[in-house]
Amino acid sequence: MYKNINFRTDLADERADIYKKSNNIENNIDGIETQTREDGNIKITEVKITNENGEKAIGKPIGNYITIDINKLKVATDEQIEKYGDILSEELKKLINNHVTKEEDILIVGLGNIYVTPDSLGPKVINEIDVTRHILKYMPEVLEKGTRSVSAISPGVLGTTGIETLEIIIGIIENIHPKLIIVIDALASRSMERISSSIQLADTGIVPGAGVGNTRKEISQKTLNIPVIALGIPTVVESAVLVNDCLNLFIEKLQEEAKSNEYLNQLKEKDNYEEIKEALIPKDYNMIVTPKEIDELIENMKDVVARGINYAM
Amino acid sequence: MYKNINFRTDLADERADIYKKSNNIENNIDGIETQTREDGNIKITEVKITNENGEKAIGKPIGNYITIDINKLKVATDEQIEKYGDILSEELKKLINNHVTKEEDILIVGLGNIYVTPDSLGPKVINEIDVTRHILKYMPEVLEKGTRSVSAISPGVLGTTGIETLEIIIGIIENIHPKLIIVIDALASRSMERISSSIQLADTGIVPGAGVGNTRKEISQKTLNIPVIALGIPTVVESAVLVNDCLNLFIEKLQEEAKSNEYLNQLKEKDNYEEIKEALIPKDYNMIVTPKEIDELIENMKDVVARGINYAM
Amino acid sequence: MYKNINFRTDLADERADIYKKSNNIENNIDGIETQTREDGNIKITEVKITNENGEKAIGKPIGNYITIDINKLKVATDEQIEKYGDILSEELKKLINNHVTKEEDILIVGLGNIYVTPDSLGPKVINEIDVTRHILKYMPEVLEKGTRSVSAISPGVLGTTGIETLEIIIGIIENIHPKLIIVIDALASRSMERISSSIQLADTGIVPGAGVGNTRKEISQKTLNIPVIALGIPTVVESAVLVNDCLNLFIEKLQEEAKSNEYLNQLKEKDNYEEIKEALIPKDYNMIVTPKEIDELIENMKDVVARGINYAM
Amino acid sequence: MYKNINFRTDLADERADIYKKSNNIENNIDGIETQTREDGNIKITEVKITNENGEKAIGKPIGNYITIDINKLKVATDEQIEKYGDILSEELKKLINNHVTKEEDILIVGLGNIYVTPDSLGPKVINEIDVTRHILKYMPEVLEKGTRSVSAISPGVLGTTGIETLEIIIGIIENIHPKLIIVIDALASRSMERISSSIQLADTGIVPGAGVGNTRKEISQKTLNIPVIALGIPTVVESAVLVNDCLNLFIEKLQEEAKSNEYLNQLKEKDNYEEIKEALIPKDYNMIVTPKEIDELIENMKDVVARGINYAM
């Protein structure tokens, strides 16, 4: 019997790694196919969950999960940003083509709060999307024949609207009938290294705010009856995660210096996240943190994602 | 028979004035009751259209129209902004109470584009609304009994969403069932003097973009089946309107200096708006203009309106 | 004797045109050389004032004046923006090389108010400049040998600092000793057509706020003792200018329709700017206006100018 | 002999506490007078360093240090923000009056980068200062007799200007000759709890960026020859500080649950900051972090500080 794991990460590739390590599995997990490609600064990891075994193993529904890792986005040039956008576009196109034909309607949904910088990626991308739905409706003659109908919306967040995002999306779908939805969200990352440097694509939907502990209603084919591609980018990290990561690095350093002891070694072996989290709560330290340069990172990410989506349409 | 008039203003009080002048009416128009109050810097004009005669006369549906004129908003102190907000709140409360009880659900809709300063009033106000709907749903115990359910949304504009605002609102209403809607919109004004210094309240709904010549679908009880209060603030002016206004001022000055002539006097008597507009089109001069300090005016207006709405709830 | 002209434009090329028309000059004006080149969407006009005659004729000091006219900046693609930046860079480089060697220090000064959209171009460009002065000072080894020292500052505006811009610049120059200054400013235009579609370069300095009627102290070699290149972009227009332009268009239309008369024809011949201005003052209509899409125009202009300067360094 | 301490905090009150604890001092330290007052939500701590003994003890120059602690700024109402501003104003006035007369010139300097949210406090406050210097110079008749000359500047940061802030300030002082300078800066805090909830006033100047490890040149009476009041607000925290704080909380929890051991107890006794910092460096984890709601906290802080300064003038 395999161990029950609290993954604490949304990334399917990280989950697969953790699962294999925990269970000492050398080869592939049954029901999970993993592939990695590299291209310059960029690593693309594809995880395909093909059956219920795979589903159970890493706690993610059957479907495709693609992670694009971009390093050094903070110092990216215009040319690099364009290249990243083009790579994203390629991957996105493949996922879209799995689910709809070239002309079927797509609705892009940008989750998040435009007034909170680390949460503003979704609304900012929406502003850059080349929408065509209204032109097809009112002036079809100015567009090439066969242009796909694209619409885009930024529904806001529960805290400022008072309305569940899912309720808003359902309402819109019932009126405009898209065939596929792409949801963009800023995620809470489980690792400082991933902040603004990973893009995750999945054709299995999203639970907004899942990372931040404010679970909202799932946005997926199950709740919407049409396929949902989620495009998520980590922009914040929980302080308990940061401390847990750092505690391990610190103990490692003590071990290297032969200053560690049995107890610390054990501490490192087990996962202290829950206990750290509890220790921080009374002090209100259990906050979300984000790097100081988040404004610039978000701007660059917005350019990458907007280009990726526009070119994929 | 009365003259057919192209009013070229959304303000019911201006229309009533124009109608009376054009038709040499001394007293009240049948079906229209007008009242004016003053309070310091602030003038409040109330126009009530009570029957079909009134409706036909000024081309506005039966209902209540209130205009609050604030001078010198550009140089308003914090204390003045609070006072303006309180006055708006009073007027708004009266209109709301005509249509719903104290506890019935209200949805606030902020029209406009957050990325275009003169069009950003609606979305900016939405961010300041004290929404309660989600708290009543998930943690009712933290609110006083009898708190009204308030939700708020910024649906974006057709050019960036590809979706008619009306379609989005209908979708949301079908899912959350409010009993009244308040729509906030930045208007194109027919007069430079009104820019960011008038607030118009009407319980007859709104046609977004009407002022700007991009008529969208009407948002009103007729299209939504629930009462709609429109809160509109002029923030831009058409260049043809500006020129028409100024041409008259210029001819007046020539007349005073006895430099005018028969022809100019006639020019002033008639309305040259349509001809000026046509003259400007080929040069692409027929643009919308806005004062240089619009950023500051919008900030102040946002504070007035947000306070006005929050206190009225 | 030639006519005395109130040019009411900062553009040397417009002044030369007006002067020639007013004085019925067919060929070149003595002391003024004019050249025009075209390149796709872009027209470049070069005016060289070579002696005192030229100086007197159009009321501009001896020096070089280059105007780059870009059409359709509002709808420019990323590729076009990069191309415009490259063209600006070429012209700027020529001017710089007239005055300093390849390694001499340059200080970039961005005039204007970051909080007033149409006046925010200067500060926004400054944020994008690749400064090197501090790196040359503290870590010269990371830069190629021969890298030029570039520094950049946004001194703010008199209304928010209480300090004349010239005083701030003099103070900085005395401490860091650049050999050339490039000043970026948003100008008041004398024509709606030029708004955010012309870039003017001049190696004779600038009078900030000159267009807006708030004349500040001149920033030029005369006041600073080092050469000053001014890069100016029209972003606002006076309402009296707009009305004057439009009045002429309107009368033209009346003439075409044979509805004009002797008096109107005369009105069109003469310049009514001063009288229109006076007519508008009592109504406080004499404001600065700016197009509704100014936010987007400024963003695009910022990208063009930042690229132009960075590549010229 | 007293222990040598690495204080790792800029707050004089924290340093005095640490010093007394480390050296088991019960009463006052010689050369240091400390006073604490409370007023509702607000605690004011005044530390006066009166001689060289005090100076050596806590490594801060002779002078006055005042810390105003505001809790719950994130959820402050308009009325609370006004109250906080008034309290700041009172404290600031006392410090100012120690150094200049009621009419002597003051220059306000807002350090930081407007484009990096947690570093934007200084520039944002500058935009709200009621400057008078230019009015006294050009239209003195519109001001009351005896109005103080106030000017304000946002010099930018070394990374975007290429110029040391001290060089810019010296240049301006030489040209406008103020008698006192107030410098506003966003600080790196040594404690998550202090973020955006403490205001520190000191009449001994400031070293910009000191908290962040990018030490810039000191801005003080020593370098400027006029008194300098520093107003600092913690807005970010080093990740090593966060981890160190949290590690201690975590060990405390283990101790309470009797899960700790000798080694962990020792770990808690000593200061692990340096070792944690080293452990994080190779992973590039040694970043600055800031809470997710920093946009809102900065807005509220800006309102408090602007009101505090304007009322103190």
Side-chain angles (χ1 to χ4, degrees):
Chain A
M1 246 291 294
Y2 288 139
K3 278 203 285 180
N4 208 347
I5 305 169
N6 176 356
F7 289 105
R8 258 193 351 274
T9 169
D10 277 334
L11 301 182
D13 65 329
E14 284 193 350
R15 290 196 176 189
D17 283 350
I18 295 171
Y19 186 84
K20 283 161 71 175
K21 209 186 279 175
S22 298
N23 294 299
N24 296 310
I25 299 173
E26 287 282 313
N27 305 313
N28 269 347
I29 309 167
D30 169 50
I32 299 183
E33 294 166 21
T34 307
Q35 254 190 323
T36 304
R37 286 165 284 148
E38 294 214 21
D39 176 3
N41 269 333
I42 294 171
K43 199 180 96 183
I44 299 169
T45 309
E46 211 167 318
V47 174
K48 219 185 264 284
I49 303 188
T50 54
N51 64 25
E52 276 191 25
N53 267 354
E55 211 173 82
K56 268 186 215 155
I58 66 167
K60 287 258 178 195
I62 291 173
N64 297 288
Y65 301 85
I66 295 158
T67 311
I68 304 171
D69 279 305
I70 301 166
N71 283 321
K72 318 241 174 246
L73 186 68
K74 207 179 106 194
V75 293
T77 62
D78 285 6
E79 283 69 27
Q80 284 173 314
I81 286 175
E82 288 176 7
K83 195 188 148 201
Y84 299 156
D86 293 345
I87 289 173
L88 170 59
S89 169
E90 282 313 305
E91 299 302 321
L92 190 54
K93 233 185 291 183
K94 285 186 233 160
L95 275 189
I96 292 172
N97 293 340
N98 287 346
H99 297 282
V100 290
T101 68
K102 255 191 57 171
E103 296 191 19
E104 284 182 309
D105 284 28
I106 292 183
L107 168 66
I108 323 275
V109 178
L111 303 182
N113 186 343
I114 183 86
Y115 299 101
V116 174
T117 306
D119 200 27
S120 63
L121 182 70
K124 282 189 173 158
V125 168
I126 290 306
N127 189 44
E128 309 281 333
I129 297 297
D130 299 334
V131 293
T132 57
R133 183 176 174 273
H134 59 311
I135 308 178
L136 286 167
K137 207 168 156 186
Y138 297 113
M139 301 185 293
E141 66 280 6
V142 307
L143 292 177
E144 258 176 80
K145 232 187 124 81
T147 300
R148 187 198 290 285
S149 164
V150 177
S151 51
I153 190 148
S154 225
V157 294
L158 183 63
T160 48
T161 63
I163 314 171
E164 277 283 354
T165 303
L166 183 66
E167 292 175 299
I168 298 175
I169 299 179
I170 287 176
I172 294 169
I173 290 179
E174 286 168 358
N175 277 277
I176 73 168
H177 310 293
K179 293 288 172 289
L180 176 106
I181 288 192
I182 299 175
V183 177
I184 304 155
D185 200 9
L187 306 176
S189 167
R190 312 305 171 113
S191 137
M192 285 302 271
E193 279 160 345
R194 294 270 187 165
I195 285 205
S196 291
S197 74
S198 290
I199 302 174
Q200 308 159 59
L201 293 171
D203 55 5
T204 56
I206 201 170
V207 182
V212 203
N214 300 314
T215 312
R216 305 270 70 87
K217 282 177 186 150
E218 186 178 321
I219 297 169
S220 71
Q221 179 138 21
K222 219 160 59 194
T223 54
L224 297 178
N225 293 318
I226 52 171
V228 176
I229 294 177
L231 189 163
I233 295 182
T235 62
V236 292
V237 78
E238 246 186 291
S239 54
V241 168
L242 175 66
V243 174
N244 194 28
D245 279 16
C246 293
L247 181 63
N248 291 343
L249 286 173
F250 176 53
I251 297 177
E252 250 171 51
K253 186 162 171 284
L254 292 179
Q255 289 171 334
E256 277 167 25
E257 296 170 2
K259 282 192 200 157
S260 187
N261 66 2
E262 190 58 23
Y263 186 83
L264 279 180
N265 298 345
Q266 283 168 26
L267 208 58
K268 184 159 180 294
E269 276 324 291
K270 69 192 254 292
D271 180 7
N272 302 292
Y273 169 81
E274 287 302 335
E275 279 168 305
I276 290 172
K277 200 166 165 174
E278 264 173 58
L280 302 187
I281 284 170
K283 284 284 185 182
D284 198 24
Y285 272 32
N286 191 32
M287 53 208 311
I288 299 298
V289 291
T290 195
K292 196 185 160 197
E293 336 40 18
I294 188 66
D295 302 70
E296 207 175 342
L297 285 167
I298 291 283
E299 279 308 298
N300 285 349
M301 258 307 162
K302 179 203 70 184
D303 289 340
V304 170
V305 174
R307 190 180 176 100
I309 292 178
N310 285 331
Y311 279 51
M313 293 292 117
Chain B
M1 248 282 305
Y2 289 140
K3 278 204 283 181
N4 210 348
I5 306 169
N6 177 357
F7 290 105
R8 256 194 352 272
T9 168
D10 277 334
L11 301 182
D13 64 329
E14 285 193 350
R15 289 197 175 189
D17 283 351
I18 295 171
Y19 185 84
K20 282 160 72 175
K21 210 186 279 175
S22 298
N23 293 298
N24 296 311
I25 299 175
E26 286 283 312
N27 306 313
N28 270 347
I29 309 167
D30 170 49
I32 298 184
E33 295 166 20
T34 308
Q35 254 190 323
T36 304
R37 285 165 284 148
E38 294 215 19
D39 175 4
N41 270 334
I42 296 170
K43 198 180 97 183
I44 300 168
T45 309
E46 212 167 318
V47 174
K48 221 186 263 286
I49 302 186
T50 54
N51 65 27
E52 277 191 24
N53 268 353
E55 213 175 81
K56 267 186 215 157
I58 67 168
K60 287 258 177 194
I62 291 174
N64 297 287
Y65 302 85
I66 295 158
T67 311
I68 303 171
D69 279 306
I70 301 165
N71 282 321
K72 318 245 171 239
L73 186 69
K74 206 178 109 196
V75 294
T77 62
D78 285 6
E79 283 69 26
Q80 284 173 313
I81 286 174
E82 289 175 7
K83 196 188 146 200
Y84 299 156
D86 294 345
I87 289 172
L88 169 59
S89 168
E90 282 313 305
E91 299 302 321
L92 189 55
K93 232 185 291 183
K94 285 187 234 160
L95 274 189
I96 293 172
N97 293 340
N98 287 346
H99 297 280
V100 290
T101 68
K102 254 189 58 169
E103 298 190 18
E104 283 182 309
D105 284 28
I106 292 182
L107 168 66
I108 324 275
V109 179
L111 302 182
N113 186 343
I114 185 85
Y115 299 101
V116 174
T117 306
D119 199 28
S120 64
L121 182 71
K124 282 191 174 157
V125 168
I126 289 306
N127 189 43
E128 309 281 332
I129 297 297
D130 299 333
V131 293
T132 57
R133 183 175 174 274
H134 59 311
I135 309 179
L136 285 166
K137 205 167 158 189
Y138 298 112
M139 299 184 296
E141 65 281 3
V142 306
L143 291 177
E144 258 176 80
K145 234 188 124 78
T147 300
R148 188 199 291 284
S149 165
V150 178
S151 50
I153 191 149
S154 223
V157 295
L158 183 63
T160 49
T161 63
I163 314 171
E164 277 282 353
T165 303
L166 183 68
E167 293 175 299
I168 298 175
I169 299 179
I170 287 177
I172 294 169
I173 289 180
E174 285 169 359
N175 277 277
I176 73 168
H177 310 292
K179 294 287 172 290
L180 176 105
I181 287 192
I182 299 175
V183 177
I184 304 155
D185 200 8
L187 305 177
S189 168
R190 312 305 171 115
S191 137
M192 285 303 270
E193 280 160 344
R194 293 269 187 167
I195 284 207
S196 291
S197 75
S198 290
I199 303 173
Q200 308 159 60
L201 293 170
D203 55 4
T204 57
I206 201 168
V207 182
V212 204
N214 301 313
T215 312
R216 304 272 71 87
K217 282 178 186 151
E218 186 179 321
I219 297 169
S220 71
Q221 179 138 21
K222 219 160 58 194
T223 53
L224 296 178
N225 293 318
I226 52 170
V228 176
I229 294 177
L231 190 163
I233 295 181
T235 62
V236 291
V237 79
E238 247 186 291
S239 55
V241 167
L242 176 66
V243 175
N244 195 27
D245 279 15
C246 293
L247 181 62
N248 291 342
L249 287 173
F250 176 53
I251 298 178
E252 249 171 52
K253 188 163 168 283
L254 293 178
Q255 289 173 334
E256 277 167 27
E257 296 170 2
K259 285 190 199 157
S260 188
N261 66 3
E262 191 60 22
Y263 187 81
L264 278 179
N265 297 346
Q266 281 168 27
L267 208 58
K268 184 159 180 293
E269 275 325 293
K270 70 190 253 290
D271 181 8
N272 302 292
Y273 169 81
E274 288 302 336
E275 279 169 305
I276 291 173
K277 201 166 162 174
E278 265 174 58
L280 303 188
I281 285 170
K283 283 285 184 181
D284 198 23
Y285 272 31
N286 191 31
M287 53 207 312
I288 298 298
V289 291
T290 195
K292 196 184 160 200
E293 337 41 18
I294 189 66
D295 301 71
E296 207 175 343
L297 285 167
I298 291 283
E299 278 308 298
N300 285 349
M301 256 309 161
K302 180 204 71 182
D303 290 340
V304 170
V305 174
R307 190 180 177 101
I309 292 179
N310 285 331
Y311 279 51
M313 293 290 117
Chain C
M1 248 282 307
Y2 289 141
K3 279 205 283 179
N4 209 348
I5 306 168
N6 178 356
F7 289 105
R8 260 194 349 271
T9 168
D10 277 334
L11 301 182
D13 64 329
E14 285 194 350
R15 290 197 177 190
D17 282 352
I18 295 171
Y19 186 83
K20 282 161 71 176
K21 206 185 283 176
S22 299
N23 293 298
N24 296 312
I25 299 173
E26 285 282 312
N27 304 313
N28 269 347
I29 310 167
D30 170 48
I32 298 184
E33 296 166 18
T34 307
Q35 256 189 322
T36 303
R37 286 167 282 149
E38 293 212 24
D39 175 6
N41 269 334
I42 294 170
K43 196 181 96 183
I44 299 168
T45 310
E46 212 167 317
V47 175
K48 220 185 264 283
I49 303 187
T50 54
N51 64 25
E52 277 190 24
N53 268 352
E55 210 173 85
K56 265 185 218 158
I58 67 167
K60 286 257 178 195
I62 291 174
N64 298 287
Y65 302 85
I66 295 158
T67 310
I68 303 170
D69 278 306
I70 303 165
N71 282 322
K72 319 244 172 241
L73 185 68
K74 206 179 107 193
V75 293
T77 62
D78 286 6
E79 283 68 28
Q80 284 172 314
I81 286 175
E82 288 175 8
K83 194 188 147 202
Y84 299 156
D86 295 344
I87 290 173
L88 169 59
S89 169
E90 283 314 304
E91 299 302 320
L92 189 54
K93 233 186 291 183
K94 287 187 231 159
L95 273 191
I96 293 172
N97 293 341
N98 287 348
H99 296 283
V100 291
T101 68
K102 256 190 55 171
E103 296 191 18
E104 285 181 309
D105 285 29
I106 292 182
L107 169 66
I108 323 276
V109 179
L111 302 182
N113 186 344
I114 184 85
Y115 299 100
V116 174
T117 306
D119 200 26
S120 64
L121 181 70
K124 282 190 173 156
V125 169
I126 290 305
N127 189 44
E128 309 281 332
I129 298 297
D130 299 333
V131 293
T132 57
R133 183 176 174 273
H134 59 310
I135 308 178
L136 285 167
K137 207 167 156 188
Y138 298 112
M139 300 186 295
E141 65 281 4
V142 306
L143 292 177
E144 258 177 80
K145 235 187 123 76
T147 300
R148 188 200 291 283
S149 165
V150 178
S151 50
I153 190 149
S154 224
V157 294
L158 183 63
T160 48
T161 63
I163 315 173
E164 277 282 352
T165 303
L166 183 67
E167 292 174 301
I168 298 175
I169 299 178
I170 287 176
I172 294 169
I173 290 179
E174 286 168 0
N175 277 275
I176 74 168
H177 310 293
K179 293 287 171 289
L180 176 106
I181 287 191
I182 298 174
V183 178
I184 304 153
D185 201 9
L187 305 177
S189 167
R190 310 305 170 112
S191 138
M192 284 305 270
E193 280 161 343
R194 294 268 187 166
I195 285 208
S196 291
S197 75
S198 291
I199 303 173
Q200 309 159 59
L201 293 170
D203 55 4
T204 57
I206 202 170
V207 182
V212 203
N214 301 313
T215 311
R216 305 270 71 86
K217 284 178 185 150
E218 183 179 323
I219 296 168
S220 70
Q221 180 139 20
K222 220 160 58 195
T223 53
L224 296 177
N225 292 317
I226 52 171
V228 175
I229 293 176
L231 189 164
I233 295 181
T235 61
V236 291
V237 79
E238 248 185 292
S239 54
V241 168
L242 175 66
V243 175
N244 193 28
D245 280 15
C246 294
L247 182 62
N248 290 342
L249 287 172
F250 176 53
I251 297 178
E252 251 170 51
K253 185 162 171 284
L254 293 179
Q255 290 173 334
E256 279 167 24
E257 297 169 1
K259 284 192 200 155
S260 187
N261 68 358
E262 190 60 24
Y263 187 83
L264 277 180
N265 298 346
Q266 281 168 28
L267 208 59
K268 183 159 180 293
E269 276 325 293
K270 70 190 254 292
D271 181 6
N272 302 292
Y273 169 80
E274 287 302 335
E275 277 169 306
I276 290 173
K277 199 165 167 174
E278 264 173 60
L280 303 187
I281 284 172
K283 283 285 186 182
D284 199 25
Y285 272 33
N286 191 31
M287 53 207 312
I288 298 299
V289 292
T290 196
K292 196 184 160 201
E293 335 45 14
I294 188 68
D295 301 71
E296 208 175 343
L297 285 167
I298 291 282
E299 278 309 299
N300 285 350
M301 259 305 162
K302 179 203 72 183
D303 290 340
V304 170
V305 174
R307 190 178 175 100
I309 293 179
N310 285 331
Y311 279 51
M313 294 289 119
Chain D
M1 248 290 299
Y2 288 141
K3 280 205 281 180
N4 209 346
I5 305 166
N6 177 354
F7 289 105
R8 260 195 349 270
T9 169
D10 277 335
L11 301 182
D13 65 328
E14 284 193 351
R15 289 197 176 190
D17 282 351
I18 295 172
Y19 186 84
K20 281 161 72 174
K21 207 186 279 177
S22 298
N23 293 297
N24 297 310
I25 299 173
E26 286 283 311
N27 304 313
N28 269 347
I29 310 167
D30 171 47
I32 298 183
E33 294 166 20
T34 309
Q35 256 189 322
T36 304
R37 284 167 284 148
E38 295 214 20
D39 176 3
N41 269 334
I42 295 169
K43 198 181 95 182
I44 299 168
T45 309
E46 210 167 318
V47 174
K48 218 186 265 285
I49 303 187
T50 54
N51 64 26
E52 278 191 23
N53 268 353
E55 211 174 82
K56 267 185 216 158
I58 67 168
K60 286 259 177 192
I62 291 173
N64 297 286
Y65 301 85
I66 294 158
T67 310
I68 303 171
D69 279 306
I70 301 166
N71 283 321
K72 320 241 171 243
L73 186 68
K74 206 178 107 193
V75 293
T77 61
D78 286 6
E79 284 68 27
Q80 284 172 315
I81 286 174
E82 288 176 7
K83 195 189 146 200
Y84 299 156
D86 294 345
I87 289 173
L88 169 58
S89 170
E90 282 313 304
E91 300 302 320
L92 189 55
K93 232 186 289 182
K94 286 187 232 160
L95 273 189
I96 292 172
N97 293 340
N98 286 347
H99 295 282
V100 291
T101 68
K102 258 190 53 171
E103 296 191 19
E104 285 182 307
D105 284 27
I106 292 183
L107 168 66
I108 324 276
V109 178
L111 302 181
N113 186 343
I114 185 84
Y115 299 100
V116 174
T117 306
D119 200 27
S120 64
L121 181 70
K124 281 190 173 156
V125 168
I126 290 306
N127 189 44
E128 308 281 332
I129 297 297
D130 299 332
V131 293
T132 57
R133 183 176 173 273
H134 59 310
I135 309 178
L136 285 167
K137 209 168 156 187
Y138 298 112
M139 301 185 294
E141 66 282 4
V142 307
L143 292 176
E144 258 176 79
K145 234 188 123 77
T147 300
R148 187 199 291 282
S149 164
V150 178
S151 51
I153 190 148
S154 223
V157 295
L158 184 63
T160 48
T161 63
I163 315 172
E164 277 282 353
T165 303
L166 183 67
E167 293 175 298
I168 298 175
I169 300 178
I170 287 176
I172 294 170
I173 290 180
E174 286 168 0
N175 278 275
I176 74 168
H177 310 293
K179 293 288 171 289
L180 177 105
I181 286 190
I182 299 175
V183 177
I184 304 155
D185 201 9
L187 304 177
S189 168
R190 312 303 169 114
S191 139
M192 285 302 271
E193 280 160 344
R194 294 269 187 166
I195 285 207
S196 291
S197 75
S198 290
I199 304 173
Q200 308 159 61
L201 293 170
D203 55 4
T204 57
I206 202 170
V207 182
V212 203
N214 301 314
T215 312
R216 305 269 71 86
K217 283 179 187 149
E218 185 178 323
I219 296 169
S220 71
Q221 179 139 22
K222 222 161 57 196
T223 52
L224 295 178
N225 292 318
I226 53 169
V228 176
I229 293 177
L231 190 163
I233 295 182
T235 62
V236 292
V237 78
E238 249 185 289
S239 54
V241 167
L242 175 67
V243 175
N244 193 28
D245 279 14
C246 293
L247 181 62
N248 290 342
L249 287 173
F250 176 52
I251 298 178
E252 249 170 52
K253 184 161 171 287
L254 293 179
Q255 289 172 333
E256 277 166 26
E257 296 169 1
K259 283 192 200 157
S260 186
N261 68 358
E262 191 58 24
Y263 186 83
L264 277 180
N265 298 345
Q266 281 167 28
L267 209 59
K268 181 156 182 297
E269 276 324 293
K270 70 191 253 292
D271 181 6
N272 302 292
Y273 169 80
E274 287 302 335
E275 279 168 305
I276 290 172
K277 202 167 163 172
E278 265 174 59
L280 303 187
I281 285 171
K283 284 285 186 181
D284 198 26
Y285 273 32
N286 191 32
M287 53 207 312
I288 299 298
V289 291
T290 195
K292 196 183 160 200
E293 332 48 12
I294 188 66
D295 301 70
E296 207 175 344
L297 285 167
I298 291 282
E299 278 308 297
N300 285 349
M301 259 305 161
K302 179 204 72 183
D303 289 340
V304 170
V305 174
R307 190 179 175 100
I309 293 178
N310 285 332
Y311 279 51
M313 293 291 116

